[in-house]
């Protein structure tokens, strides 16, 4: 039994927290498991490797005590945990899916289970349609309607996983398959390769002379729960984490065509087939054909060239503007992770971060960045000890002291200032004027009307000291819908005032989405790719943000923090 990935360990810890929460367990115990899941999920070093060297290494991780360290070690080594198995036996299968419905917390989910016998999403939908939910104490007609509206989102969340989680699994599979002799080419395709926010399954293409050997080896991957189908050249499995993975062994002369075909998207491929037909050609997973003769297929570049096109990056293949760009010779050179110079949304132990300012700075420097902005919360976010004016200035004094010690790196004095429910900002202008970088965001009043939320944001952008609007729609993918906001109006206002919009790189946010990134680009609004990191490992999320930016067609010039701090400061001064 090979070791679990960090994502799989984090998912197990999160499931323990969900069941305990559902059962009404001690909130501190629930929070401990949730914090541990977050810590493990954000780590870049393999937890299994740490455990293999010395289980004691886990004790140095934020929020991991002896008991949790032992449980994590057991998970990492064996792939299971007696506590989790026991907890699973105490609740019906499917009942935890209720927690995926936006706004339906553990207490209400438990009430639905106890009072109405609801054990899965379909039973919940039926209870809502029959108006039985509104009859429960503390629910009512509006709550019932909100639950019904959120059910589609919850159903989707049970079927797909974050790209960041799928990536860990994909890399584990590749590592496993590399030990199989005779594989000449190997690459994942599908929505994973296109960098979509969530992934429903994985498609792995290989070129090898001995398909039987390849499939035998694939079937021995430790995460395989069941072989769903196996033929001469294709094998499908379901992993223990619930993800289906399809492996196809394809001829070398068709590898490029198969990679293009199975990468998709469906809409992109429809356009390609139309272009082929216009030229008297046929394109499919085996190649590009003129009659019966294959004229291209070994590489993707061959396939696109045969159809009069340059190679199109996978992230752009959604049948939006990629063909118009390609035909006009203006296909953008997409932003790369190596282009990013600084991270402009970072938290520390002054509020809800797990590392000190200096630790975050040195970790960012080690990752090749030249600056970060410390943007801890303002006082409105009281649950995490948000900073008032006095504490913020004290923090900035500490930043000055650290900057004097650091060489070749700069910490910017920033703040994530709340946009208040009734409008205005959480800190006075005379304080914001002293900051290098001000990120405005919404944490409260997210259920207000579209008109009111939009008005709050537009007013915040008009403040001369606000640099950027963070996580602009407030969504959590698969967990919380965007709040009602006129994003077009926000983008136009940002363009008018020279303000920036954040692409929050956290894999659960990726906010702005790809379509909104493209809209910002069209209006000349600079996008800031920022991690919102609350830990050292959280800084790694930059690559998820870059992937999202590429899907929006953003180039290096479209992203603000590809610039050095002096260049960015000059830009801010010109626009203030």
């Amino acid at each position: 039994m090979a070791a679990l990935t960090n994502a799989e360990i984090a998912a197990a810890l999160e499931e323990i927290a969900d069941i305990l929460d559902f059962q009404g367990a001690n909130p501190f115990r629930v929070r401990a498991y949730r914090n541990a899941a977050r810590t493990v999920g954000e780590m870049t070093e393999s937890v299994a490797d740490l455990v293999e060297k010395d289980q004691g290494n886990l004790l140095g991780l934020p929020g991991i005590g002896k008991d949790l360290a032992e449980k994590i070690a057991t998970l990492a080594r064996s792939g299971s945990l007696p506590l989790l198995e026991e907890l699973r036996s105490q609740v019906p299968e499917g009942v935890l899916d209720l927690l995926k419905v936006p706004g339906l917390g553990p207490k209400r989910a438990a009430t639905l289970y106890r009072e109405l016998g609801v054990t899965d999403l379909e039973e919940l939908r039926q209870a809502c349609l029959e108006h039985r939910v509104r009859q429960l104490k503390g629910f009512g007609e509006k709550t019932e309607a909100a639950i019904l509206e959120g059910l589609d989102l919850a159903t989707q969340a049970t079927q797909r996983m974050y790209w960041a989680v799928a990536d860990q699994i994909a890399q584990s599979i590749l590592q496993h398959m590399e030990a199989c002799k005779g594989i000449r080419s190997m690459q994942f395709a599908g929505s994973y390769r296109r960098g979509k926010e969530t992934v429903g399954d994985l498609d792995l293409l290989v070129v090898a002379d001995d398909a039987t050997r390849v499939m035998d080896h694939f079937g021995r991957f430790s995460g395989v729960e069941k072989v769903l189908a196996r033929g001469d050249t294709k094998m499908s499995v379901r992993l223990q984490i619930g993800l289906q993975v399809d492996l196809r062994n394809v001829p070398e002369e068709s590898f490029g065509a198969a990679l293009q075909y199975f990468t998709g998207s469906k809409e992109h491929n429809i356009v390609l087939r139309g272009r082929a037909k216009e030229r008297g050609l046929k394109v499919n997973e085996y190649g590009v054909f003129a009659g019966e003769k294959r004229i291209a297929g070994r590489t993707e570049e061959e396939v696109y060239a045969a159809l009069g096109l340059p190679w199109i990056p996978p992230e752009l293949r959604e049948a939006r503007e990629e063909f118009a760009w390609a035909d006009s010779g203006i296909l953008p050179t997409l932003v790369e992770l190596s282009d990013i110079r600084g991270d402009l949304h970072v938290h520390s132990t002054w509020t809800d971060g797990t590392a000190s300012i200096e630790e975050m700075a040195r970790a960012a420097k080690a990752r090749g960045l030249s600056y970060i902005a410390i943007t801890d919360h303002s006082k409105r976010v009281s649950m995490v000890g948000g900073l008032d004016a006095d504490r913020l200035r004290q923090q900035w004094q500490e930043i000055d002291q650290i900057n004097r010690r650091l060489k070749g790196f700069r910490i910017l004095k920033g703040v994530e200032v709340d946009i208040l429910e009734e409008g205005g900002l959480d800190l006075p202008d005379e304080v914001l004027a002293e900051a290098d970088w001000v990120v405005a965001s919404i944490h409260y009043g997210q259920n207000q009307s579209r008109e009111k939320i939009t008005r709050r944001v537009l007013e915040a952008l008009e403040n001369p000291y606000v640099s950027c609007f963070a996580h602009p729609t407030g969504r959590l993918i698969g967990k919380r819908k965007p709040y009602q906001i006129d994003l077009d109006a926000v983008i136009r206002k940002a363009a008018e005032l020279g303000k920036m919009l954040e692409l929050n790189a956290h894999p659960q946010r990726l906010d702005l989405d790809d379509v909104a990134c493209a809209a910002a680009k069209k209006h000349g609004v600079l996008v800031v790719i920022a991690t919102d990191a609350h830990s050292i490992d959280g800084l790694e999320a930059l690559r998820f943000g870059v992937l999202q930016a590429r899907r929006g067609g953003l180039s290096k010039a479209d992203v603000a923090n590809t610039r050095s701090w002096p260049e960015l400061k000059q830009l801010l001064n010109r626009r203030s």
Side-chain angles (χ1 to χ4, degrees), residues 45 49-61 64 69:
E45 185 176 1
D49 288 348
L50 282 176
V51 170
E52 187 177 350
K53 293 171 188 173
D54 183 356
Q55 181 177 317
N57 289 330
L58 298 179
L59 296 175
L61 300 176
I64 307 295

Side-chain angles (χ1 to χ4, degrees), residues 62-82:
I64 307 295
K66 183 180 178 183
D67 181 62
L68 269 172
E70 289 174 354
K71 288 183 171 61
I72 292 170
T74 300
L75 272 169
R77 290 190 184 114
S78 68
S80 63
L81 185 66

